[in-house]
Amino acid sequence: MIEYAVLFGDEKSLVGVVTSPAEAENKGRYPNVILLNAGLLHRIGPNRMYVKLIRRLSGKGVTGLRFDLSGIGDSLAATDGLSEPESRLRDIRAAMDMMASRTGVDRFILGGLCDGAVSTFATAMTDPRVVGMILIDAFPYRTPGYYLRHYRNRFFRAQSWLNLLTGRHPLTRWLRGSSSDDEDNRPTDMFPPTSEAEKMYRELIDRGVESLVIYPGDGTFNDERQFAEMFPSVARHPRVQLEFQRDANHTYVVLKHQEDLIECVERWLSEIEWPTTAPPDHSAP
Amino acid sequence: MLPIYFGDTDRALFGIYHPARQARVKPMSVVLCHPLGNEYVGAYRTMRVLADQLADAGVAVLRFDYYGTGDSAGFGWDVDVGQWLDDIRSAIEEIKGTAATDRASLIGVRLGATLAAICARSRNDIDQVVLWEPILHGREHVAQHQHRHREWLRLGRCRAADSTDNEALGFPFTDRLIEELSSLDLTAGDDERLNEVLLLYHNRKRQNRGQTLAAIGHRVEQQCIDSPDFWLGRTAFDQPLVSKSNIESIVAWLTGDAA
């Protein structure tokens, strides 16, 4: 394994680390992998998980990049006045351009946790070079099934009943229909409404993009069935592999859970016959 | 700002080099020594801002990741304190060579401060040392990390049974590392005094405990700064949790310039 630091982007303001396999075996077999910042954590990822993941994938012949988006970690803040989503897209495209130039491989698997997963999804929608996605805890929408499972254990707690009767309980609002199932089940505003996310998944599937969708067990995803509840038209598609890691938390604090995630990504990567070239049209709409 | 790998190829260390952005009569260079484990994550932004301010003041800076941490080689299961002290030595040689200075200064935060002090004691080319909330007794520091991990597990956000005694909030703590850290005692008598030392504390109680370090250098200054424990990273990671004026006063102490 060989690692080297890079400065790239139009203004050479983006800091990253490229990890290349030591041997040429499997060269060209896999797309390049780029991992995107989880929230405001710098490029090593939550609890250094990105470093470990990319180094393990290099053992399979994958070349990977972890880098900091503008204004995060060691990368300088952008000065061109773009909105944050536009700036992220610009940075990620710059990363792909740089990696394609260095490796000769112009197809990519993007991945990340939380914000990193959202950035992955947004970039995949607009750039046909993205042929795979690793989405860790992305779009965990609360469904009726989520609530039933979540509150099942709270059935005998007095406070839960009090909240229900006084209308403070989210389930009360849902039963009254005073909130849109589509809008208000979003954990945060950074996620699009469920129906829009499902439509985006379908577009990507139709384009041939492979997705590994991983959910840890804390937070707003509490059962494997929830994915089908959220996205019934895509959940069972062969190009979407779901992995529910019930025992893990959002940032994978426990080392065994990190190892479970890494092994899951390794398996997924190995099981897919990846395209050897990117789709012909590289121009973004 | 330049990201680099330096040191031996088989245990390459990652660093960010901040070249001095103005000339000084006497060139200066500084190595920043990070804290350990999840404290490293919480402190990262503040360390970067400090490095930027130093560079603006004409000081060349290298902040780096110890072996087995951050972007440096190694996975954390094969680390030891002796290696980390060697890493600081490598960083000192690197910054001296890159910035063309004969001497260097060190700034360490938490365990980074402890290691910086230990390293500086064995060298004759270190001018100033900033010990920012130094760990006095390694055993207590290990206990703090383990306590925070147990407290986190008690919240029930994951399956606690999958955790072991050899980890703390996402970072490995091998038996060897625990033993070596536990043997660190910055208060133990040492005939080698550092040159100039700035001791920084975030509350009076810890400053009082730190009185045992009053003789750690030939000239020792102590400051208590009004700032949260930024290494715990309990708020945003995108901004330093230490005020601009506090950082400026550290820069001023190092450079001798007015704050």
Side-chain angles (χ1 to χ4, degrees), chain B residues 183-198:
Chain B
S183 70
L184 292 177
D185 182 352
L186 201 55
T187 64
D190 192 301
D191 291 336
E192 295 298 328
R193 282 193 177 190
L194 306 179
N195 284 328
E196 285 185 70
V197 179
L198 174 63

Side-chain angles (χ1 to χ4, degrees), chain B residues 8 17 33 38 45 57 61-62 79 87 90 100 109 112 118 126 138 148 159 194 203 221 246 248 252 256:
Chain B
D8 294 336
Y17 172 61
C33 303
N38 73 311
R45 186 72 181 191
V61 181
L62 176 64
V79 302
D87 294 344
S90 286
V109 176
I118 294 169
I126 303 298
R148 281 183 222 135
R159 189 164 180 268
L194 306 179
N203 68 48
E221 182 177 331
N246 288 149
E248 284 171 351

Side-chain angles (χ1 to χ4, degrees), chain A residues 3 5 7 17 40-44 47-48 51 55 66 71 73-76 218 247 249 253-255 257, chain B residues 1 3 5 14 40-41 44-45 48 63 68-72 74 77 152 157-159 162 167 169-170 238:
Chain A
E3 283 193 321
L7 259 185
V17 173
L40 299 168
L41 295 172
H42 77 290
R43 66 196 167 274
I44 67 171
N47 305 306
R48 208 184 181 221
V51 175
R55 287 178 179 174
R66 51 191 187 272
D74 293 305
S75 290
L76 299 178
D218 76 340
D247 297 332
N249 81 298
V253 164
V254 172
L255 295 178
H257 302 155
Chain B
M1 188 168 60
Y5 275 94
F14 178 86
Y40 157 86
V41 178
Y44 200 83
R45 186 72 181 191
R48 175 191 156 168
R63 52 190 170 94
T69 74
D71 282 305
S72 288
W77 294 111
W152 193 89
R157 305 301 295 270
C158 72
R159 189 164 180 268
D162 290 337
E167 58 187 292
L169 293 179
D238 67 332

Side-chain angles (χ1 to χ4, degrees), chain A residues 59-135:
Chain A
K60 295 196 147 327
V62 172
T63 301
L65 169 71
R66 51 191 187 272
F67 80 101
D68 291 326
L69 294 164
S70 291
I72 296 178
D74 293 305
S75 290
L76 299 178
T79 55
D80 51 12
L82 290 178
S83 68
E84 191 178 322
E86 288 170 335
S87 176
R88 287 186 175 213
L89 199 53
R90 188 244 355 254
D91 290 350
I92 297 167
R93 286 199 182 128
M96 291 195 284
D97 291 343
M98 182 272 295
M99 289 294 283
S101 170
R102 283 178 182 266
T103 66
V105 174
D106 62 352
R107 61 201 190 289
F108 296 90
I109 296 170
L110 303 185
L113 183 144
C114 197
D115 261 7
V118 174
S119 298
T120 291
F121 213 97
T123 308
M125 288 299 297
T126 65
D127 198 313
R129 292 178 291 178
V130 179
V131 298
M133 303 191 294
I134 302 167
L135 304 170

Side-chain angles (χ1 to χ4, degrees), chain B:
Chain B
M1 188 168 60
L2 187 65
I4 59 171
Y5 275 94
F6 65 97
D8 294 336
T9 343
D10 57 351
R11 41 171 295 124
L13 303 175
F14 178 86
I16 300 274
Y17 172 61
H18 298 250
R21 286 199 270 273
Q22 60 168 296
R24 297 190 66 86
V25 171
K26 184 182 167 199
M28 292 181 68
S29 61
V30 167
V31 169
L32 260 54
C33 303
H34 283 296
L36 176 64
N38 73 311
E39 294 186 1
Y40 157 86
V41 178
Y44 200 83
R45 186 72 181 191
T46 299
M47 301 286 264
R48 175 191 156 168
V49 171
L50 174 59
D52 280 337
Q53 296 266 41
L54 284 165
D56 282 344
V59 179
V61 181
L62 176 64
R63 52 190 170 94
F64 76 101
D65 297 332
Y66 310 108
Y67 180 81
T69 74
D71 282 305
S72 288
F75 285 95
W77 294 111
D78 54 349
V79 302
D80 60 63
V81 172
Q83 282 177 338
W84 287 348
L85 290 170
D86 283 341
D87 294 344
I88 298 175
R89 293 180 190 111
S90 286
I92 293 169
E93 295 307 322
E94 181 70 22
I95 190 74
K96 281 168 52 180
T98 306
T101 58
D102 296 327
R103 305 178 65 76
S105 295
L106 303 177
I107 299 177
V109 176
R110 298 280 287 166
L111 184 75
T114 307
L115 297 178
I118 294 169
C119 181
R121 276 173 173 160
S122 64
R123 299 178 72 95
N124 58 10
D125 60 349
I126 303 298
D127 285 329
Q128 296 154 301
V129 184
V130 176
L131 303 180
W132 198 338
E133 284 278 350
I135 302 302
L136 302 183
H137 305 287
R139 189 175 304 279
E140 288 176 11
H141 191 49
V142 171
Q144 283 170 346
H145 280 279
Q146 291 171 332
H147 173 74
R148 281 183 222 135
H149 186 70
R150 281 195 300 271
E151 284 301 294
W152 193 89
L153 290 176
R154 275 194 330 119
L155 293 174
R157 305 301 295 270
C158 72
R159 189 164 180 268
D162 290 337
S163 178
T164 72
D165 291 337
N166 291 118
E167 58 187 292
L169 293 179
F171 293 87
F173 274 72
T174 59
D175 288 339
R176 178 179 181 181
L177 182 62
I178 290 171
E179 186 182 334
E180 291 187 355
L181 287 173
S182 299
S183 70
L184 292 177
D185 182 352
L186 201 55
T187 64
D190 192 301
D191 291 336
E192 295 298 328
R193 282 193 177 190
L194 306 179
N195 284 328
E196 285 185 70
V197 179
L198 174 63
L199 290 167
L200 288 173
Y201 297 97
H202 285 214
N203 68 48
R204 294 279 171 210
K205 184 176 170 186
R206 291 202 288 256
Q207 184 176 16
N208 289 340
R209 285 194 65 214
Q211 291 300 330
T212 50
L213 298 182
I216 196 172
H218 292 290
R219 284 176 296 282
V220 179
E221 182 177 331
Q222 298 196 44
Q223 289 180 18
C224 189
I225 63 177
D226 178 22
S227 194
D229 293 349
F230 61 93
W231 53 90
L232 296 178
R234 285 206 174 123
T235 55
F237 289 110
D238 67 332
Q239 51 197 291
L241 297 177
V242 178
S243 72
K244 186 166 180 280
S245 62
N246 288 149
I247 291 188
E248 284 171 351
S249 81
I250 296 168
V251 173
W253 181 86
L254 267 162
T255 59
D257 300 340

Side-chain angles (χ1 to χ4, degrees), chain A residues 253-271:
Chain A
V253 164
V254 172
L255 295 178
K256 179 185 180 303
H257 302 155
Q258 290 184 17
E259 179 61 27
D260 291 343
L261 182 142
I262 292 170
E263 285 179 359
C264 165
V265 174
E266 284 182 310
R267 273 195 310 273
W268 172 76
L269 192 80
S270 301
E271 286 166 0

